[in-house]
Amino acid sequence: KKLVVVGKVYQLGGMIHNVPYADEVVKVSVDTVYDGDTRVPIPTPEIEYVREAMNTFIGWPTNLVKPIFDVSKMIFLVVPLN
């Protein structure tokens, strides 16, 4: 696993862009992209690569989200599937 993006995690389950997600998926906003050519683990018609996820919300599996610093501000390291 490697660092591909840093972002904020908002909630478990629920809806993202009117699409329901399971409890093992979190709503993530991407703040910084480190490897823009990495495919997102849950692609949408608009977002296939992490570089396309800036300034929007995307679903990300909880097992690929790792806290890295300042947990009080909900800043997390997000890693890809491969």
Side-chain angles (χ1 to χ4, degrees), residues 32-81:
T32 305
V33 174
Y34 292 100
D35 185 356
D37 294 329
T38 300
R39 292 178 186 265
V40 296
I42 304 173
T44 68
E46 298 83 21
I47 300 170
E48 184 176 353
Y49 297 95
V50 295
R51 67 176 173 268
E52 301 165 336
M54 289 291 293
N55 303 314
T56 189
F57 294 107
I58 188 167
W60 209 282
T62 56
N63 66 315
L64 299 178
V65 176
K66 307 293 180 206
I68 52 171
F69 60 90
D70 203 350
V71 176
S72 67
K73 291 185 181 177
M74 298 297 287
I75 298 172
F76 288 82
L77 157 71
V78 185
V79 294
L81 286 172

Side-chain angles (χ1 to χ4, degrees), residues 7-24:
K8 295 180 182 74
V9 175
Y10 289 90
Q11 64 189 28
L12 292 174
M15 305 273 280
I16 303 170
H17 302 295
N18 297 318
V19 176
Y21 283 94
D23 288 339
E24 57 275 346

